[in-house]
Amino acid sequence: MFRKWLQKLKLQSSRCLTMTPLRTVLSVGVLLIALGGTVCVTAQTTPSDTNYKFQTRPPLPNAAVMPTLANGNIGLVAYGDHVHLNGVYNGLGGRSHRARIPNYGNIQLLACSPTTPGGVSQSCTYQLDMKEGKFVTVEETTDYRIVHELYPHRYYDTVLVNRVRVQRLGSVGVIQARLIQIPSSQTTTDFSWQPSTEFVTASQQYTQLCGVTVQVEDPTIQTFGHNVCVSYPNIPELVEIRPDTMAEEFLFYTAFTATAEEGRRQIGDIASATSTNQDNLHLREMEKLWNRYGISVVGNNELDRAIKASAFYLFSSLPSHARASSTGRYPFYGLAPAGLGRGGLVEQEYQGHSFWDTEIWMYPAILLVDPVNAAHVLQYRTTVSGGARANARKNGFEGIQFPWESAFTGTEVTPDCCPQNGDQQHHVTADVAFAARQYYYATGDLDWLRREMCDLVPHTALFWQSRVEYNNATDKYDIRRAMGPDEDHWDVTNNAFTNVMAAHNLFFGEFVSCYCGNNDQVPESTRKELLKVARSLTLLYDAERDFHPQYEGYQIGTPIKQADTVLLIYPLQYPMNDTTKANNLRMYSQVTRENGPAMTWAIHTIGHLELNQLQEAAAMFDKSYRQYLRAPFNVWSENGNNEPGAGNFITGAGGFLQSILNGYAGVRLHQDRLEIRNARPTPNTDVLNIPTIEYRGVQFSLTVRANAFTIDIKTVGQTDLKLMVDQKEQRICQNCQYNGTVASIQLTNDQAINNCRLKPTTLGVKVADQGDGAAALQTSAMAFVSLIVCFLVSKLF
């Protein structure tokens, strides 16, 4: 069935191949094609390198716990028969899901393929190399070693690479490696395909399959389907080396693009690079990512491997900082709970949709170490804000209302299984604005604020202004018919998390609107109204028991699904007494589902650390990751205790990384500063190292030991900053190093911008106590009451 051809290249170098140091083959510089003796180089690895590698023997585990490979544009499950592309969806409304594209890059060694008749050879080994972003299969006997690498290229991000190296060991004859190509047979489910065509690049023949998605998500907004072209080689049935050859390498490129012309160009570009050069471009981008995300601990390899896996699966779905130019590529289209490589089936693995998971669970860890990609995450919401605006109009609200589940258009795509989530879990709109607020804190980027947020933030605030309801009995505003993060309870009033998050949104919306000067859309009178509503939102508090009820009528002891009110401690950082924090933690931890999502225990970890309850924090920290990681590749699962759930659950990975960054490392972001306080190593470790934290252009590494931490400054950042270490001001200078127990990078300038100032988030103030604006509202309310009284009196006479 396949056209046979053989692409032969001189292998640049050789060594005694092992499963771990595959990178070394590109840097040794030893000529391999030889008639005489064998040159063999043995590479050494360090324990830290070993912690990036996850290895297993046959049989491979089921697809739910196979690793995901992605580069921000292409995503797939290793050995999976389909690929997903950033921004490409198929299906109407709640059936919208990542479109499944047949994976002609799913090339396997026949001896090691799970589809092999008669079973997999026991000479096979499989390894996920997270350092290099590759899935590696090795078949090794006394006669030969065959190494197959699969990876989505980090620079040529439209291309999936298969590299096969055949090396002679004991044999003196011809050595052959049989290959098999297994694309998905479901070629008509999501796409309408055109007849295939062929082209030749660099003397090699490729087949091109182009099609368009079958169904749009919302025909009132999306008037076109997604065009996709797959450009692939028909692989030979076998590759071989002759008796006079010691080793040889064979490369197979598969491109996934929007047009046939772009597919040909991308194949031509990568094929014209030497094997070493194109691999180095990939590895350079991987190194950049690990220089930011490579958090490590010393003294606990199991935990170190868990951290590396969490970081890898999270950043895999993010784009590289440098990529080859490509026409037709969509802007970055958000982070889904199961990453870019999953979500191709309706009502499975969240269909590739974006939830609050993006902004609350994954984004904070990205923001602190990689603000470039944090901006990409936020830009997704700007891209789909038109659909979110239509969503508000449809539901009878003002402004912009982000849907509970968002995909291509920004309209609501929650499936039919869960209508109450889309109808009531409105806190997601405030979650998006909160993430934008955090980005502003971290970067101070006013150009970004004006370019990206002048429309989005004020109009999400207008949504809440139209969403709240005035309560005449309390003289405050209520949010009714709501569902908070605890999805076991809906149609509630004044959910604590929702109300505080909405207040954050309203205060930030007023500030951004003032700064942007968009008085035609949000006049000064409206801005005053936003502040009034924010300050008078209800925040329930039980003074006798000193805790915040989750919603009106909440009975102590009522079971809940996951962290909800405890989120007021972090990430909302709402001011409250330590006793209130402790009571919130104690009361809700006792009634939270044991099989709830991992993020709950990460939040409890941070809360206990803030209260210096180290034993409780350690127990929650252990609970937050150990039961959710699945062997052999440390893939995150949605559910603990070996219960089935969404695979590659990067929502849980994001929460876990926050428990390290914002919990044990003690890093907190505030309006006027970044602070490091109460830093301590993670349990059963000696050292915690975060290679890069970035705040307003200052990049530094943070190394935490038992009694102190060390800050090593890489870049100096903005000029309006000062560094305080143990209450002493220090210079912010490149390569400067400081040791201490408390530190902060503080803004030195006044925070008013264009005479606009972001007010602190405060709730629970009666309208009558808010001055002139409140008096006007109170007068209106009294006038309304007077009319009612007059009407009733008139009926008596």
Side-chain angles (χ1 to χ4, degrees):
M1 296 294 292
F2 295 127
R3 182 177 291 101
K4 297 181 179 180
W5 61 273
L6 197 60
Q7 176 191 8
K8 293 190 175 183
L9 297 172
K10 288 186 177 182
L11 189 61
Q12 303 296 317
S13 54
S14 176
R15 59 181 170 82
C16 287
L17 294 175
T18 65
M19 275 301 295
T20 41
L22 295 175
R23 173 68 189 92
T24 310
V25 74
L26 300 177
S27 60
V28 181
V30 178
L31 183 64
L32 222 184
I33 305 299
L35 297 176
T38 302
V39 178
C40 230
V41 178
T42 302
Q44 301 296 320
T45 61
T46 65
S48 60
D49 287 336
T50 301
N51 286 350
Y52 288 97
K53 297 173 172 64
F54 296 81
Q55 187 167 305
T56 191
R57 305 282 296 182
L60 282 169
N62 64 54
V65 294
M66 282 291 285
T68 297
L69 303 171
N71 62 8
N73 189 50
I74 299 172
L76 68 152
V77 176
Y79 275 32
D81 61 3
H82 62 272
V83 163
H84 298 138
L85 280 183
N86 168 58
V88 178
Y89 293 85
N90 182 63
L92 179 67
R95 299 187 65 80
S96 175
H97 58 277
R98 291 201 191 280
R100 292 160 63 93
I101 303 165
N103 182 12
Y104 285 93
N106 184 25
I107 299 169
Q108 301 172 17
L109 299 180
L110 183 62
C112 302
S113 172
T115 64
T116 299
V120 176
S121 168
Q122 291 305 302
S123 61
C124 295
T125 308
Y126 311 93
Q127 182 187 87
L128 176 65
D129 184 344
M130 293 184 174
K131 189 75 171 288
E132 299 193 357
K134 299 175 179 178
F135 190 78
V136 185
T137 303
V138 174
E139 181 193 3
E140 182 171 344
T141 69
T142 56
D143 290 333
Y144 59 83
R145 178 183 293 113
I146 302 170
V147 180
H148 170 218
E149 296 179 349
L150 166 69
Y151 57 101
H153 204 281
R154 265 282 163 189
Y155 180 75
Y156 296 105
D157 68 341
T158 64
V159 177
L160 188 61
V161 178
N162 282 270
R163 175 185 280 106
V164 179
R165 297 188 183 100
V166 182
Q167 181 182 6
R168 184 179 308 281
L169 296 179
S171 172
V172 294
V174 174
I175 299 173
Q176 297 179 334
R178 295 194 174 274
L179 307 178
I180 184 171
Q181 186 178 38
I182 314 175
S184 171
S185 60
Q186 300 178 357
T187 56
T188 60
T189 303
D190 289 335
F191 288 89
S192 175
W193 297 105
Q194 303 168 5
S196 63
T197 59
E198 295 181 350
F199 69 94
V200 176
T201 293
S203 301
Q204 300 166 16
Q205 195 158 10
Y206 286 82
T207 298
Q208 248 180 355
L209 183 66
C210 296
V212 62
T213 49
V214 174
Q215 199 169 31
V216 298
E217 185 175 289
D218 185 327
T220 66
I221 295 176
Q222 182 185 358
T223 58
F224 56 88
H226 302 279
N227 293 303
V228 169
C229 286
V230 187
S231 306
Y232 63 93
N234 289 344
I235 65 164
E237 290 183 0
L238 58 84
V239 292
E240 65 180 22
I241 57 174
R242 307 300 299 175
D244 59 352
T245 304
M246 294 306 303
E248 197 160 342
E249 178 179 86
F250 307 88
L251 284 164
F252 308 98
Y253 301 122
T254 307
F256 299 86
T257 55
T259 66
E261 180 181 2
E262 181 67 3
R264 291 191 293 271
R265 188 179 74 82
Q266 291 288 317
I267 290 291
D269 286 350
I270 193 170
S272 65
T274 66
S275 171
T276 300
N277 286 344
Q278 67 87 358
D279 197 47
N280 283 342
L281 286 169
H282 167 78
L283 294 175
R284 182 187 65 187
E285 295 307 315
M286 287 299 300
E287 184 178 19
K288 288 180 185 177
L289 288 164
W290 282 117
N291 284 342
R292 290 181 176 271
Y293 292 88
I295 302 168
S296 62
V297 296
V298 176
N300 186 336
N301 281 338
E302 179 190 13
L303 177 58
D304 191 58
R305 289 165 67 81
I307 295 170
K308 286 175 169 53
S310 302
F312 174 77
Y313 290 125
L314 178 62
F315 76 59
S316 288
S317 289
L318 296 169
S320 298
H321 287 203
R323 298 179 288 172
S325 62
S326 175
T327 59
R329 181 201 288 128
Y330 285 123
F332 181 67
Y333 247 81
L335 287 169
L340 180 56
R342 297 176 185 265
L345 297 175
V346 175
E347 295 190 13
Q348 292 186 34
E349 294 181 322
Y350 298 103
Q351 300 174 211
H353 296 170
S354 290
F355 298 70
W356 77 310
D357 303 46
T358 303
E359 283 79 18
I360 300 302
W361 298 116
M362 307 177 216
Y363 170 85
I366 298 167
L367 174 61
L368 281 175
V369 303
D370 186 6
V372 170
N373 270 320
H376 286 313
V377 173
L378 289 174
Q379 188 180 30
Y380 163 67
R381 298 294 189 175
T382 306
T383 299
V384 300
S385 62
R389 190 183 297 276
N391 198 47
R393 288 195 301 268
K394 177 182 176 182
N395 295 327
F397 300 119
E398 300 296 324
I400 291 174
Q401 179 193 358
F402 286 102
W404 177 238
E405 298 192 28
S406 180
F408 183 70
T409 63
T411 57
E412 184 63 74
V413 290
T414 297
D416 294 341
C417 67
C418 318
Q420 65 273 16
N421 295 71
D423 292 343
Q424 296 192 359
Q425 213 158 1
H426 295 168
H427 63 79
V428 63
T429 295
D431 301 337
V432 172
F434 184 74
R437 180 177 175 139
Q438 297 296 101
Y439 184 84
Y440 171 66
Y441 285 0
T443 67
D445 190 339
L446 293 174
D447 291 337
W448 165 85
L449 194 66
R450 184 171 292 279
R451 183 179 65 252
E452 297 285 335
M453 293 293 137
C454 280
D455 182 70
L456 187 148
V457 172
H459 285 86
T460 54
L462 290 177
F463 162 75
W464 288 109
Q465 182 192 27
S466 67
R467 174 71 172 82
V468 302
E469 298 179 49
Y470 177 70
N471 186 330
N472 191 61
T474 63
D475 194 28
K476 297 177 185 177
Y477 287 98
D478 295 340
I479 298 178
R480 302 169 186 165
R481 299 176 300 281
M483 177 193 286
D486 170 21
E487 294 173 326
D488 287 350
H489 297 93
W490 57 90
D491 205 23
V492 303
T493 296
N494 292 327
N495 169 256
F497 174 84
T498 300
N499 285 25
V500 173
M501 191 61 92
H504 275 311
N505 193 168
L506 287 158
F507 280 111
F508 192 49
E510 188 276 336
F511 166 72
V512 173
S513 179
C514 177
Y515 167 72
C516 294
N518 49 1
N519 292 327
D520 56 329
Q521 300 180 52
V522 189
E524 184 178 0
S525 59
T526 302
R527 295 206 306 271
K528 290 181 178 179
E529 185 75 13
L530 296 178
L531 292 177
K532 177 182 64 183
V533 171
R535 292 183 179 123
S536 291
L537 274 170
T538 301
L539 178 59
L540 301 171
Y541 175 67
D542 184 328
E544 180 181 351
R545 296 175 179 85
D546 188 21
F547 88 111
H548 293 286
Q550 186 171 290
Y551 50 82
E552 281 191 6
Y554 176 78
Q555 299 295 314
I556 294 175
T558 301
I560 66 173
K561 177 185 176 181
Q562 63 187 72
D564 190 313
T565 302
V566 296
L567 294 164
L568 269 61
I569 304 171
Y570 174 88
L572 272 62
Q573 300 184 153
Y574 189 77
M576 67 183 81
N577 294 329
D578 283 352
T579 57
T580 311
K581 295 177 184 177
N583 288 334
N584 283 347
L585 279 170
R586 178 177 54 81
M587 288 192 175
Y588 292 111
S589 65
Q590 292 172 353
V591 296
T592 302
R593 279 195 209 169
E594 281 296 315
N595 64 346
M599 308 87 68
T600 288
W601 318 124
I603 289 300
H604 283 243
T605 300
I606 296 171
H608 286 302
L609 287 170
E610 185 159 314
L611 296 169
N612 288 313
Q613 297 172 345
L614 303 188
Q615 185 173 353
E616 293 87 344
M620 288 295 169
F621 181 68
D622 188 78
K623 195 173 182 178
S624 75
Y625 76 93
R626 194 183 301 274
Q627 61 177 320
Y628 297 94
L629 292 175
R630 299 289 182 265
F633 302 111
N634 265 22
V635 172
W636 274 83
S637 177
E638 179 182 17
N639 296 324
N641 299 322
N642 289 317
E643 295 182 14
N648 193 45
F649 191 59
I650 57 176
T651 301
F656 172 64
L657 292 173
Q658 286 186 69
S659 73
I660 297 170
L661 286 162
N662 307 107
Y664 282 99
V667 181
R668 294 297 178 87
L669 192 59
H670 300 276
Q671 180 179 345
D672 61 347
R673 68 195 186 280
L674 180 137
E675 189 173 62
I676 305 168
R677 183 180 296 274
N678 292 330
R680 48 180 71 84
T682 49
N684 303 313
T685 63
D686 303 316
V687 180
L688 165 63
N689 177 259
I690 302 169
T692 300
I693 297 173
E694 186 165 344
Y695 177 72
R696 299 200 173 221
V698 178
Q699 292 182 20
F700 63 94
S701 66
L702 177 65
T703 303
V704 181
R705 296 179 176 82
N707 299 315
F709 56 74
T710 301
I711 294 173
D712 286 283
I713 299 175
K714 303 177 183 180
T715 61
V716 298
Q718 297 176 194
T719 57
D720 59 338
L721 301 172
K722 68 176 181 179
L723 171 65
M724 301 294 295
V725 181
D726 289 344
Q727 300 182 339
K728 181 179 179 181
E729 185 170 353
Q730 302 286 2
R731 291 179 59 220
I732 300 177
C733 47
Q734 190 171 0
N735 299 322
C736 288
Q737 182 183 91
Y738 301 105
N739 298 314
T741 57
V742 178
S744 62
I745 303 175
Q746 304 174 7
L747 294 170
T748 58
N749 293 341
D750 185 85
Q751 292 305 290
I753 303 172
N754 294 352
N755 296 316
C756 303
R757 187 180 298 277
L758 177 57
K759 281 76 173 178
T761 299
T762 56
L763 283 75
V765 180
K766 289 184 178 182
V767 173
D769 296 335
Q770 287 200 48
D772 294 341
L777 180 75
Q778 190 177 30
T779 300
S780 299
M782 290 302 296
F784 176 74
V785 172
S786 297
L787 287 173
I788 296 297
V789 171
C790 289
F791 173 78
L792 293 174
V793 169
S794 70
K795 294 296 184 181
L796 296 176
F797 298 96

mmCIF file of all heavy atoms in Angstrom, residues 207-222:
data_model
loop_
_atom_site.group_PDB
_atom_site.id
_atom_site.type_symbol
_atom_site.label_atom_id
_atom_site.label_comp_id
_atom_site.label_asym_id
_atom_site.label_seq_id
_atom_site.Cartn_x
_atom_site.Cartn_y
_atom_site.Cartn_z
ATOM 1 N N THR A 207 3.128 12.981 0.127
ATOM 2 C CA THR A 207 1.694 13.006 -0.153
ATOM 3 C C THR A 207 1.063 14.104 0.676
ATOM 4 O O THR A 207 1.464 14.335 1.821
ATOM 5 C CB THR A 207 1.038 11.653 0.174
ATOM 6 O OG1 THR A 207 1.617 10.646 -0.659
ATOM 7 C CG2 THR A 207 -0.463 11.701 -0.047
ATOM 8 N N GLN A 208 0.067 14.779 0.094
ATOM 9 C CA GLN A 208 -0.644 15.834 0.802
ATOM 10 C C GLN A 208 -2.124 15.514 0.847
ATOM 11 O O GLN A 208 -2.744 15.213 -0.166
ATOM 12 C CB GLN A 208 -0.422 17.187 0.126
ATOM 13 C CG GLN A 208 0.390 18.115 0.951
ATOM 14 C CD GLN A 208 0.630 19.461 0.292
ATOM 15 O OE1 GLN A 208 0.262 19.709 -0.849
ATOM 16 N NE2 GLN A 208 1.258 20.345 1.027
ATOM 17 N N LEU A 209 -2.682 15.608 2.065
ATOM 18 C CA LEU A 209 -4.104 15.392 2.278
ATOM 19 C C LEU A 209 -4.675 16.659 2.906
ATOM 20 O O LEU A 209 -4.260 17.052 4.002
ATOM 21 C CB LEU A 209 -4.320 14.192 3.207
ATOM 22 C CG LEU A 209 -5.774 13.780 3.469
ATOM 23 C CD1 LEU A 209 -6.421 13.259 2.187
ATOM 24 C CD2 LEU A 209 -5.827 12.709 4.562
ATOM 25 N N CYS A 210 -5.590 17.319 2.204
ATOM 26 C CA CYS A 210 -6.163 18.575 2.687
ATOM 27 C C CYS A 210 -7.664 18.427 2.872
ATOM 28 O O CYS A 210 -8.340 17.735 2.109
ATOM 29 C CB CYS A 210 -5.882 19.712 1.703
ATOM 30 S SG CYS A 210 -4.139 20.117 1.507
ATOM 31 N N GLY A 211 -8.183 19.115 3.888
ATOM 32 C CA GLY A 211 -9.612 19.057 4.145
ATOM 33 C C GLY A 211 -10.072 20.228 4.978
ATOM 34 O O GLY A 211 -9.273 21.075 5.397
ATOM 35 N N VAL A 212 -11.369 20.270 5.236
ATOM 36 C CA VAL A 212 -11.965 21.327 6.038
ATOM 37 C C VAL A 212 -12.886 20.690 7.060
ATOM 38 O O VAL A 212 -13.515 19.663 6.788
ATOM 39 C CB VAL A 212 -12.730 22.339 5.147
ATOM 40 C CG1 VAL A 212 -13.876 21.666 4.400
ATOM 41 C CG2 VAL A 212 -13.222 23.518 5.954
ATOM 42 N N THR A 213 -12.927 21.267 8.258
ATOM 43 C CA THR A 213 -13.789 20.712 9.293
ATOM 44 C C THR A 213 -15.235 20.710 8.837
ATOM 45 O O THR A 213 -15.688 21.574 8.083
ATOM 46 C CB THR A 213 -13.654 21.499 10.606
ATOM 47 O OG1 THR A 213 -13.781 22.893 10.344
ATOM 48 C CG2 THR A 213 -12.313 21.219 11.270
ATOM 49 N N VAL A 214 -15.981 19.747 9.333
ATOM 50 C CA VAL A 214 -17.337 19.495 8.853
ATOM 51 C C VAL A 214 -18.341 20.496 9.410
ATOM 52 O O VAL A 214 -19.263 20.929 8.724
ATOM 53 C CB VAL A 214 -17.761 18.051 9.219
ATOM 54 C CG1 VAL A 214 -19.221 17.805 8.869
ATOM 55 C CG2 VAL A 214 -16.862 17.044 8.521
ATOM 56 N N GLN A 215 -18.167 20.914 10.653
ATOM 57 C CA GLN A 215 -19.200 21.708 11.322
ATOM 58 C C GLN A 215 -18.572 22.862 12.093
ATOM 59 O O GLN A 215 -17.574 22.681 12.796
ATOM 60 C CB GLN A 215 -19.992 20.805 12.287
ATOM 61 C CG GLN A 215 -21.340 21.343 12.686
ATOM 62 C CD GLN A 215 -22.157 20.283 13.419
ATOM 63 O OE1 GLN A 215 -21.604 19.426 14.105
ATOM 64 N NE2 GLN A 215 -23.464 20.342 13.270
ATOM 65 N N VAL A 216 -19.171 24.041 11.975
ATOM 66 C CA VAL A 216 -18.691 25.191 12.731
ATOM 67 C C VAL A 216 -19.278 25.158 14.140
ATOM 68 O O VAL A 216 -20.269 24.486 14.412
ATOM 69 C CB VAL A 216 -19.047 26.516 12.033
ATOM 70 C CG1 VAL A 216 -18.377 26.597 10.676
ATOM 71 C CG2 VAL A 216 -20.559 26.693 11.921
ATOM 72 N N GLU A 217 -18.662 25.927 15.021
ATOM 73 C CA GLU A 217 -19.058 25.932 16.428
ATOM 74 C C GLU A 217 -20.311 26.780 16.672
ATOM 75 O O GLU A 217 -21.204 26.394 17.435
ATOM 76 C CB GLU A 217 -17.887 26.467 17.250
ATOM 77 C CG GLU A 217 -18.075 26.443 18.740
ATOM 78 C CD GLU A 217 -16.805 26.883 19.439
ATOM 79 O OE1 GLU A 217 -15.830 26.093 19.412
ATOM 80 O OE2 GLU A 217 -16.759 27.997 19.988
ATOM 81 N N ASP A 218 -20.354 27.941 16.065
ATOM 82 C CA ASP A 218 -21.497 28.845 16.205
ATOM 83 C C ASP A 218 -21.644 29.591 14.884
ATOM 84 O O ASP A 218 -20.854 30.493 14.589
ATOM 85 C CB ASP A 218 -21.275 29.831 17.358
ATOM 86 C CG ASP A 218 -22.490 30.706 17.623
ATOM 87 O OD1 ASP A 218 -23.217 31.040 16.670
ATOM 88 O OD2 ASP A 218 -22.712 31.071 18.792
ATOM 89 N N PRO A 219 -22.657 29.249 14.068
ATOM 90 C CA PRO A 219 -22.759 29.836 12.723
ATOM 91 C C PRO A 219 -23.002 31.336 12.715
ATOM 92 O O PRO A 219 -22.769 31.984 11.692
ATOM 93 C CB PRO A 219 -23.946 29.081 12.100
ATOM 94 C CG PRO A 219 -24.706 28.515 13.253
ATOM 95 C CD PRO A 219 -23.702 28.246 14.332
ATOM 96 N N THR A 220 -23.430 31.924 13.850
ATOM 97 C CA THR A 220 -23.615 33.379 13.881
ATOM 98 C C THR A 220 -22.288 34.112 14.023
ATOM 99 O O THR A 220 -22.220 35.316 13.761
ATOM 100 C CB THR A 220 -24.541 33.782 15.045
ATOM 101 O OG1 THR A 220 -23.899 33.478 16.292
ATOM 102 C CG2 THR A 220 -25.870 33.050 14.957
ATOM 103 N N ILE A 221 -21.240 33.399 14.446
ATOM 104 C CA ILE A 221 -19.929 34.027 14.649
ATOM 105 C C ILE A 221 -18.874 33.403 13.750
ATOM 106 O O ILE A 221 -18.061 34.100 13.137
ATOM 107 C CB ILE A 221 -19.505 33.908 16.128
ATOM 108 C CG1 ILE A 221 -20.468 34.719 17.001
ATOM 109 C CG2 ILE A 221 -18.067 34.358 16.335
ATOM 110 C CD1 ILE A 221 -20.213 34.601 18.477
ATOM 111 N N GLN A 222 -18.877 32.093 13.644
ATOM 112 C CA GLN A 222 -17.893 31.384 12.823
ATOM 113 C C GLN A 222 -18.519 31.051 11.478
ATOM 114 O O GLN A 222 -19.395 30.192 11.383
ATOM 115 C CB GLN A 222 -17.425 30.099 13.524
ATOM 116 C CG GLN A 222 -16.369 29.331 12.748
ATOM 117 C CD GLN A 222 -16.015 28.001 13.396
ATOM 118 O OE1 GLN A 222 -16.541 27.661 14.448
ATOM 119 N NE2 GLN A 222 -15.144 27.247 12.758
#
